[in-house]
Amino acid sequence: MTIRGSREPEVVVVGGVHGDETGGVRAIRRLREADLDLHRGVAFVIANPDAVDAGKRYLDSDLNRVFPGNPAGDREEQLAAQICELIQDRTTLSLHGTRSQPTPFALIHRSQPPQLDLAARMPVPHVVDHWGVNEGAITSCGLSVEIEVGPQGTEEAAVAAENQAYAFLKLVDALPGDAPAADPDFFHMADPIRKPPGISYEVHVENFESVPAGTAYASVDGQELIADDPFHPILMSADGYSDIFGYGGTKIAESLESAQQTLLKTERG
Ligand SMILES: [Zn+2]
């Protein structure tokens, strides 16, 4: 982990949790070099510089699946422990890239309700709770929100990541000014959608758009796959993952109040 910024950071902006998602890394490098009028201590962190240098998602373990980490574990487990210690009492934004979704969206974990409140104020159209699906993400540690910008590796993603970081720094009063207004809807990410064996894959549906039962949502070597149940696709793409298309999701709510009620109820139940 490389940290630059003030000695006593109160907020943290992280890129490079996944070493091959260069948008967040470029955004962190630009923010470190920018002449920012910071009103609070901010740490700008590149989480896994060795993986960034190698151009790989990770070296030993997927860093975003091993939080809160293990100081005696492998390379990423140790990193996770260090990052968790840094961020557990600080408000944190973590920048990711995707292969599937050009519109940025936020990821949170329902066990940490303040994450929901923060994510709902970020300039993203969708907030996704990934409880029960992607455990061990950075959202296991303190008040941290992840933003997915796409498409991975492009200048467009770097600019989107930088814009999200500026909005975040304004929301937490680290920079003067107001963040753009937000009015997201809320989803829960559910089971992965498996890819049957094949050579060529196509996806016929749009992420976050309702898919009714009976819809041909994808094709494998020209053979259509039909949805048994309705769902909302999340992170779906033909070639983003080797073994899954992405995830089936459900829409929880269109307002923060209603999302809070639903998520808190499920968390207690
Ligand atoms: Zn990532």
Side-chain angles (χ1 to χ4, degrees):
M1 165 170 61
T2 65
I3 306 176
R4 228 168 292 162
S6 21
R7 277 172 186 274
E8 293 299 333
E10 296 170 81
V11 297
V12 184
V13 185
V14 182
V17 164
H18 289 134
D20 59 346
E21 296 170 6
T22 54
V25 175
R26 281 197 244 174
I28 294 292
R29 289 185 178 139
R30 288 174 196 173
L31 287 159
R32 285 173 171 180
E33 280 160 24
D35 183 19
L36 299 174
D37 178 21
L38 291 176
H39 293 202
R40 297 180 74 189
V42 181
F44 295 104
V45 175
I46 294 182
N48 196 346
D50 292 340
V52 171
D53 290 346
K56 292 184 169 169
R57 186 172 170 87
Y58 56 85
L59 298 176
D60 295 333
S61 305
D62 187 330
L63 176 54
N64 217 29
R65 299 289 180 276
V66 297
F67 281 93
N70 176 2
D74 69 22
R75 188 189 314 245
E76 275 84 8
E77 288 168 339
Q78 291 180 31
L79 274 176
Q82 292 163 17
I83 294 166
C84 214
E85 194 186 338
L86 172 71
I87 71 170
Q88 63 189 353
D89 297 318
R90 300 182 167 102
T91 310
T92 301
L93 178 72
S94 178
L95 298 162
H96 284 260
T98 73
R99 289 193 172 84
S100 60
Q101 177 73 20
T103 312
F105 66 94
L107 281 164
I108 57 119
H109 195 284
R110 70 174 66 183
S111 63
Q112 314 269 5
Q115 291 180 1
L116 179 65
D117 301 336
L118 175 61
R121 294 162 66 213
M122 291 292 294
V124 292
H126 312 294
V127 174
V128 177
D129 161 43
H130 61 186
W131 164 73
V133 188
N134 284 344
E135 292 298 321
I138 197 170
T139 50
S140 339
C141 299
L143 176 42
S144 59
V145 167
E146 297 185 84
I147 300 286
E148 300 275 356
V149 298
Q152 186 167 308
T154 62
E155 173 62 17
E156 184 191 341
V159 170
E162 214 180 340
N163 287 339
Q164 292 294 326
Y166 277 106
F168 168 75
L169 291 171
K170 288 172 180 170
L171 281 175
V172 297
D173 298 319
L175 280 177
D178 295 320
D183 182 24
D185 43 23
F186 300 84
F187 293 82
H188 176 240
M189 192 159 147
D191 293 333
I193 300 171
R194 302 276 163 212
K195 270 182 173 174
I199 295 164
S200 73
Y201 297 94
E202 279 179 86
V203 167
H204 308 307
V205 293
E206 297 289 327
N207 281 306
F208 296 106
E209 301 287 331
S210 165
V211 175
T215 305
Y217 63 92
S219 300
V220 185
D221 298 337
Q223 179 106 26
E224 287 183 339
L225 301 173
I226 309 295
D228 292 333
D229 300 300
F231 69 102
H232 288 79
I234 296 175
L235 286 168
M236 252 181 99
S237 66
D239 301 307
Y241 304 94
S242 57
D243 54 341
I244 62 172
F245 283 110
Y247 298 86
T250 49
K251 195 169 193 174
I252 298 169
E254 299 201 347
S255 73
L256 175 59
E257 292 68 28
S258 155
Q260 283 165 331
Q261 283 166 9
T262 308
L263 291 182
L264 289 176
K265 210 186 327 173
T266 337
E267 172 69 8
R268 286 187 194 123

